[in-house]
Amino acid sequence: MNAKRLQLIDTAPIPGGGELRLFREGEHFSIKIAGTGDLMSTRMHGSEDALAELACTRIAARPKARVLVGGLGLGFTLAAALRQLRDDAEVVVAELVPGVIAWNREVLGAHAGHPLADARTVVRETDVAQLLRRERNAYDAILLDVDNGPDGLTHPGNAWIYSANGLGSIRTALRAGGVVTIWSAGPDPAFSARLRKCGFAVEEIPVRAHGNKGSRHLIWRAQRG
């Protein structure tokens, strides 16, 4: 984006430290972590869509499928999940930052098609890790876009999700044959090995930020046996 044309719209504190900033450029919006570059933008969301599609196509036919989305972001992953699922599905979205929820209900909603207004959506204003720690056989799919990848850039507490203990909790929270997809800015062979060690069948799928253009990202698709 051209920094000269950016307009700061709002800020939101990250529980535990840090700040998110919402910017507008014409009809588009971006969210940045204070002191760093773009975290996400309405201009490019292909990899966020893919995060949902790669998981939900596997479980879309299941009656009363239940899906957990970790990280609301700009709403595109939630919207893509809803497009894949039946009318009797439920999608629980966990978002740590209250301001992000408010932005999606207001200025950001139209970009993703107002997925928070869908009757199948349940919003939890909480750290997704808290849900994962207590759920058992609860979800057919779990979609995680909580950080920049296993390095825990946005929030140090996210590191637990990518640890062996966190992956064990994800596996426990999934129903038989359930699938988890995890977004990352790039590959991490050690994390791939950790997923396999925790009992998942793992695929590493490269995706682009926007169709065949934009930054190259990686999504892990891991299925519980």
Side-chain angles (χ1 to χ4, degrees):
M1 287 186 177
N2 186 338
K4 293 181 180 179
R5 297 172 59 195
L6 287 179
Q7 179 185 4
L8 178 64
I9 301 298
D10 200 3
T11 63
I14 302 171
E19 180 183 79
L20 294 181
R21 296 177 177 177
L22 178 65
F23 291 86
R24 185 204 303 265
E25 184 192 26
E27 64 180 11
H28 286 285
F29 294 85
S30 63
I31 295 176
K32 302 171 182 282
I33 305 172
T36 69
D38 284 359
L39 184 60
M40 59 196 81
S41 169
T42 58
R43 288 181 181 277
M44 294 188 178
H45 52 87
S47 61
E48 286 87 350
D49 294 346
L51 183 74
E53 292 162 0
L54 289 169
C56 291
T57 52
R58 290 277 181 94
I59 57 93
R62 296 187 184 185
K64 297 184 178 180
R66 196 161 183 253
V67 174
L68 173 63
V69 178
L72 174 58
L74 297 167
F76 291 110
T77 297
L78 171 61
L82 291 166
R83 287 195 296 270
Q84 297 290 329
L85 299 171
R86 292 164 40 121
D87 290 343
D88 61 354
E90 178 182 85
V91 183
V92 178
V93 57
E95 174 53 53
L96 177 65
V97 183
V100 171
I101 299 172
W103 295 341
N104 274 269
R105 285 180 169 147
E106 298 164 1
V107 296
L108 297 177
H111 283 272
H114 297 286
L116 291 185
D118 193 295
R120 296 169 292 173
T121 300
V122 177
V123 180
R124 295 282 184 261
E125 189 180 300
T126 187
D127 186 344
V128 68
Q130 298 303 314
L131 296 182
L132 293 172
R133 282 185 170 100
R134 65 173 182 255
E135 298 280 16
R136 300 289 184 275
N137 299 311
Y139 301 104
D140 297 285
I142 297 174
L143 324 176
L144 296 176
D145 186 6
V146 297
D147 217 305
N148 217 41
D151 52 4
L153 171 68
T154 306
H155 182 59
N158 289 339
W160 175 84
I161 292 174
Y162 304 101
S163 70
N165 286 338
L167 295 177
S169 291
I170 290 169
R171 193 174 189 281
T172 299
L174 285 170
R175 294 169 177 167
V179 61
V180 57
T181 50
I182 302 171
W183 188 96
S184 177
D188 186 327
F191 182 66
S192 299
R194 199 178 309 139
L195 276 165
R196 293 184 177 96
K197 189 174 181 180
C198 289
F200 288 100
V202 180
E203 299 172 81
E204 300 175 42
I205 303 170
V207 294
R208 300 297 289 266
H210 185 66
N212 294 320
K213 302 177 182 178
S215 302
R216 297 178 184 273
H217 301 141
L218 185 106
I219 291 174
W220 287 278
R221 178 165 61 186
Q223 190 151 5
R224 175 184 169 178

